[in-house]
Amino acid sequence: MDSVTQAFVAHRNLLFTVAYEMLGSAADAEDVLQEAWLRWVGVDPDTVRDERAYLVRITTRQALSHLRSLGRRKESYVGPWLPEPLLTAPDVAEDIELADSVSMAMLLVLETLTPTERAVFVLREVFDLAYDEIAEAVDKSPAAVRQIAHRARTHVAARRPRGVASAAETRRTVEAFQRAVETGDLRRLLDILAPDVVLLTDGGGVVQAALAPVVGADQVAHVLSRIAAAMSLQPAQVNGDPALIVRLGGEIDTVMAMRIDDGIITGLYAVRNPEKLSHLERGDHLAPLSPRSS
C-alpha cells in the first residue's frame, strides 16, 4: 500500500464519521469519501503538512456541498425524514460522547442548524478540532468560526436530549418493550412509554408510514400493538441507541431506535424506507475512531 493510500485508510473512520454526522446519511457519506479520495490522490504529498487536517478539510467541504443539495431533497420528502440508521460497533457504544453525537435524537437536533453551523459544531464539539483548522475547512476566519461555534453550541444545548440511562436500566426497558410489542400488550406498553412520547416513522413515500409525528402514549401504543405477529424482533445498537430490528420473512422491514429517559421511552424513531436500510442488510457498522482522531 503506497503512502497516499495508507494515509487515507488510516483516517477513513474519522472521515466517514465527520461526513455522516454532517449529512445523516451513510450513502451520502460514502459518496463524500469517494470525492475526497479523488481529490486526495491528486495532491502533491510534499505540500501537505498535516495529512489528517488536510483530509478533514476536503471531506468537510464536500460534505457541505452535499448538505446543501440534501436540504433541497428533504423539502420534497414524503413524511418525517430520519437519519439513515447504522449499527453501532461495541467500542462506539462504550464511547459515550461519540455515541451521543450520532444518536437519532442528536442528529435531528443538528438538522435544525444551518450547513455551516452544523459543520462547525461537529468539528469543534465532537472532534475537538482547533478553530484555525475549522476555519480552513469552512472558508471562514477563526474569529467568525468562534462566533458560529458559540451560536451553534447554544442552539444545540437548548434542544439536546436529556441524560443517558444506565446500561442496566436500558436493558430492562428494552426487554420489557420487546415483550410488550411481541404480545401486543397495550397495558404493558403504556407502563414503559412516557405520556408525551413521540413516534416518528420514515417511509419516504415508498412504504406505509405515518406522515406526521404520533404523539402521546395511547396513540403510540395503539400503533405499536398492530405490528404483525409474523414479524421477528431483534435487539441491536443503532446509532448508539438501543433499538429493535423488525424482520418480516427474514428481511429487514423496520429499524426502531429508542430514546430512554429515567427508565421510560420518550422517543421512538422507526425507519422503514428501504433505501435507508441497505447498510444494515450488509451488516455495516459505525466503527470506533483511533485515539488520535477522537
Side-chain angles (χ1 to χ4, degrees):
M1 189 183 297
D2 62 78
S3 60
V4 171
T5 304
Q6 190 172 23
F8 191 87
V9 170
H11 298 295
R12 190 186 188 285
N13 285 349
L14 168 66
L15 303 179
F16 176 85
T17 307
V18 168
Y20 177 73
E21 292 208 21
M22 286 182 61
L23 301 170
S25 165
D28 286 319
E30 292 287 1
D31 289 343
V32 164
L33 258 62
Q34 181 64 28
E35 292 165 3
W37 164 253
L38 293 175
R39 282 160 177 74
W40 174 241
V41 295
V43 172
D44 180 357
D46 293 335
T47 65
V48 178
R49 296 191 306 275
D50 185 329
E51 294 173 337
R52 175 176 176 269
Y54 194 97
L55 285 165
V56 168
R57 183 163 70 247
I58 59 176
T59 298
T60 300
R61 288 176 176 173
Q62 293 305 312
L64 276 170
S65 177
H66 273 255
L67 188 57
R68 294 183 178 107
S69 63
L70 190 61
R72 291 190 292 272
R73 297 206 316 255
K74 289 175 187 173
E75 290 174 1
S76 58
Y77 199 80
V78 178
W81 180 94
L82 288 173
E84 187 175 336
L86 278 176
L87 293 170
T88 309
D91 289 349
V92 173
E94 292 169 5
D95 185 334
I96 301 300
E97 289 186 6
L98 180 59
D100 173 67
S101 73
V102 296
S103 71
M104 287 285 183
M106 178 55 74
L107 290 176
L108 288 176
V109 171
L110 296 184
E111 284 290 308
T112 64
L113 298 175
T114 68
T116 300
E117 286 174 341
R118 186 165 182 170
V120 170
F121 181 87
V122 167
L123 295 178
R124 180 63 184 173
E125 299 300 316
V126 180
F127 300 104
D128 199 29
L129 265 65
Y131 289 112
D132 289 350
E133 287 183 273
I134 300 172
E136 290 187 17
V138 300
D139 292 323
K140 301 282 185 183
S141 70
V145 166
R146 285 180 181 272
Q147 291 180 339
I148 294 169
H150 175 74
R151 187 167 64 243
R153 192 182 306 117
T154 301
H155 181 94
V156 171
R159 294 164 178 80
R160 76 182 306 143
R162 297 192 289 275
V164 178
S166 70
E169 186 178 56
T170 296
R171 184 171 58 255
R172 286 194 299 269
T173 303
V174 172
E175 290 173 352
F177 178 70
Q178 181 175 351
R179 287 194 301 270
V181 173
E182 287 174 335
T183 59
D185 188 334
L186 280 175
R187 184 183 296 271
R188 184 176 287 175
L189 278 170
L190 290 172
D191 286 341
I192 53 179
L193 295 176
D196 57 351
V197 63
V198 177
L199 166 64
L200 298 175
T201 56
D202 179 344
V206 181
V207 296
Q208 185 177 5
L211 298 181
V214 181
V215 182
D218 288 336
Q219 290 79 6
V220 171
H222 277 91
V223 171
L224 295 174
S225 69
R226 295 198 297 267
I227 291 180
M231 293 184 176
S232 65
L233 307 181
Q234 171 193 348
Q237 280 281 333
V238 172
N239 289 69
D241 293 321
L244 292 177
I245 297 177
V246 183
R247 294 182 181 272
L248 180 62
E251 301 294 327
I252 296 178
D253 177 87
T254 305
V255 172
M256 189 179 304
M258 308 170 211
R259 174 177 160 184
I260 298 173
D261 296 293
D262 299 323
I264 58 175
I265 296 171
T266 57
L268 287 164
Y269 312 94
V271 181
R272 303 202 65 224
N273 185 346
E275 295 179 359
K276 294 187 176 183
L277 301 177
S278 59
H279 281 79
L280 285 167
E281 290 283 13
R282 293 200 300 268
D284 294 347
H285 283 69
L286 187 65
L289 307 179
S290 67
R292 183 170 179 246
S293 302
S294 57

